[in-house]
């Protein structure tokens, strides 16, 4: 075991854990091991960055609001439902 | 929690605050707060809309899914014993409505079905006019182009992976909640999420 980093097996093993690394789910020892590897392995580092970018993109761009017409219809339905319920309560 | 108190990861924490938010709304509803009910019913419909659009890929059915989510939430919000469990319940309900919609179509003539299911023709992209009022136009324009890239890539993910990405990344549910919604174990959620991220990354890079 001369160089523990940047061997193919090691990269593969690291990439299997990379999601849990991104999510901050790994124990400190694993995290440090991965960080050491990343310093020496530009390929894995690149994968990490683009995965993080993918995750960020989902979080930032993935939630469209309702289009205006649908929003109006949704709000109308809510008010109708609540108004009917209020009437029933009065009776 | 102390172990993961890594400043690099803070911004990638799932939307925990939102889970608390839902629980607080449910509690308010149970205390008779009508505004809270209004808010909850709007949110339920928004969730149904996004699910139809991003997971089912059938914006033309979004309206049905929204009505279903509205009525079920209205009936259920007052009764749920564990307000913390509401969010997972909501997404599971929406998902089931989407599955029922698909099952109905199994009875459709074969040529119609194949049209529905053929790749790229399953409704994505249509009806996605994303207006986020209140944002400045420049940010909005950037968002729209990012969004169409993201949706284009999501469309190509196999549905089970798409669902995990949607629930976990887009909507910010916890691993546990995603497991409850999809009826799979937490380790399974993590494995699927990892594969989905890798696939999505490749799709985005090719786009
Ligand atoms: Zn490597």
């Amino acid at each position: 075991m001369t160089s523990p980093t940047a061997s193919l097996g090691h990269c593969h093993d690291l990439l299997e854990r990379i999601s849990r690394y991104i999510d901050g789910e790994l124990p400190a020892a694993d995290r440090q091991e991965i960080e050491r590897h990343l310093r020496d392995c530009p390929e894995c580092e690149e994968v990490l960055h683009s995965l993080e970018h993918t995750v960020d993109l989902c979080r930032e761009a993935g939630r469209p609001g309702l289009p205006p017409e649908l929003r109006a219809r949704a709000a109308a339905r809510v008010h109708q439902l609540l108004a009917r319920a209020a009437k029933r309560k009065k009776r | 929690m102390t172990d993961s108190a890594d400043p690099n990861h803070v911004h990638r924490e799932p939307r925990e605050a939102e889970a608390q938010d839902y629980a607080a709304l449910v509690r308010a509803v149970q205390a008779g707060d009508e505004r809270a009910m209004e808010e909850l019913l709007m949110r339920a419909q928004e969730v149904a809309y996004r699910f139809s659009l991003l997971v089912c890929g059938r914006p033309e059915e979004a309206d049905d899914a929204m009505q279903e989510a509205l009525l079920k939430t209205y009936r259920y919000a007052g009764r749920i014993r564990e307000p913390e469990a509401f969010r997972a319940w909501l997404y599971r309900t929406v998902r089931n409505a989407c599955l029922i919609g698909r099952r109905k179509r199994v009875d459709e003539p074969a040529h119609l079905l194949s049209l529905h299911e053929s790749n790229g023709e399953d409704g994505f992209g249509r009806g996605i006019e994303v207006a986020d009022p209140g944002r400045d136009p420049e940010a909005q324009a950037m968002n729209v182009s990012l969004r169409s890239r993201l949706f284009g890539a999501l469309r190509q993910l196999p549905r089970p992976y798409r669902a995990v990405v949607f629930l976990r990344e887009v909507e910010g549910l916890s691993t546990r909640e995603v497991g409850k919604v999809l009826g799979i174990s937490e380790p399974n959620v993590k494995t699927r999420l990892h594969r989905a991220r890798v696939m999505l990354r490749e799709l985005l890079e090719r786009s």
Side-chain angles (χ1 to χ4, degrees):
Chain A
M1 281 274 201
T2 41
S3 166
T5 55
S7 75
L8 251 168
H10 202 95
C11 292
H12 182 262
D13 170 58
L14 182 140
L15 291 177
E16 281 300 303
R17 284 179 293 164
I18 201 81
S19 269
R20 290 171 60 208
Y21 175 77
I22 289 174
D23 292 335
E25 290 173 355
L26 290 177
D30 284 34
R31 206 166 59 220
Q32 281 153 17
E33 183 205 333
I34 286 179
E35 275 156 13
R36 263 198 308 276
H37 178 91
L38 290 171
R39 276 198 291 271
D40 293 336
C41 182
E43 283 89 355
C44 282
E45 210 200 2
E46 163 59 25
V47 174
L48 172 69
H49 286 319
S50 61
L51 275 178
E52 283 179 334
H53 176 73
T54 302
V55 172
D56 288 344
L57 182 61
C58 288
R59 297 202 178 159
E60 283 157 20
R63 289 180 118 184
L66 292 177
E69 191 210 330
L70 264 187
R71 168 163 299 281
R73 222 182 302 163
R77 273 198 292 258
V78 169
H79 291 135
Q80 206 179 19
L81 187 65
L82 294 180
R84 239 186 286 144
K87 242 189 235 161
R88 243 181 288 130
K89 248 180 231 162
K90 269 188 208 141
R91 258 191 269 143
Chain B
M1 260 326 223
T2 45
D3 188 53
S4 61
D6 176 344
N8 293 324
H9 292 132
V10 168
H11 66 291
R12 268 181 261 282
E13 285 292 305
R15 297 184 168 95
E16 268 317 308
E18 200 171 276
Q20 291 312 312
D21 225 31
Y22 271 111
L25 278 174
V26 169
R27 284 201 185 88
V29 164
Q30 296 188 346
D33 182 341
E34 193 156 310
R35 291 246 126 198
M37 180 60 110
E38 226 179 285
E39 169 74 22
L40 205 59
L41 293 175
M42 281 308 284
R43 284 202 199 183
Q45 294 185 86
E46 284 165 7
V47 167
Y49 169 72
R50 291 195 298 267
F51 199 96
S52 302
L53 201 67
L54 285 165
V55 184
C56 292
R58 300 178 203 290
E60 68 276 13
E61 282 167 24
D63 210 44
D64 289 347
M66 286 165 71
Q67 292 192 46
E68 175 96 359
L70 171 82
L71 289 175
K72 291 219 158 131
T73 299
Y74 179 72
R75 280 188 222 125
Y76 189 64
R79 289 193 283 124
I80 187 168
R81 290 226 194 104
E82 254 186 286
E84 272 73 19
F86 176 81
R87 187 162 70 153
W89 173 86
L90 173 61
Y91 283 88
R92 199 173 54 239
T93 301
V94 166
R95 173 184 177 257
N96 289 343
C98 170
L99 286 182
I100 288 165
R102 293 186 64 212
R103 233 173 275 137
K104 268 192 214 150
R105 275 184 301 277
V106 173
D107 302 326
E108 287 173 12
H111 66 280
L112 273 181
L113 192 69
S114 64
L115 194 71
H116 277 304
E117 297 293 340
S118 65
N119 213 357
E121 285 293 326
D122 62 352
F124 268 103
R126 276 182 282 136
I128 309 178
E129 7 140 353
V130 266
D132 268 355
R135 296 239 183 107
D136 68 284
E138 219 172 291
Q140 205 175 304
M142 192 199 72
N143 249 317
V144 168
S145 83
L146 277 179
R147 228 165 236 169
S148 54
R149 256 187 85 206
L150 177 65
F151 289 4
L154 273 175
R155 176 189 348 177
Q156 297 173 66
L157 278 184
R159 201 182 302 264
Y161 293 99
R162 210 193 282 165
V164 168
V165 168
F166 172 78
L167 293 169
R168 173 85 179 143
E169 312 286 38
V170 176
E171 301 292 307
L173 269 63
S174 69
T175 308
R176 191 157 163 262
E177 286 174 310
V178 177
K180 275 204 215 159
V181 173
L182 299 179
I184 60 179
S185 71
E186 283 186 57
N188 215 327
V189 172
K190 287 184 190 178
T191 309
R192 240 189 244 186
L193 180 67
H194 173 63
R195 294 202 186 124
R197 280 174 175 171
V198 170
M199 279 189 259
L200 192 59
R201 165 189 168 258
E202 276 164 21
L203 290 166
L204 281 168
E205 256 163 32
R206 263 188 263 146
S207 72

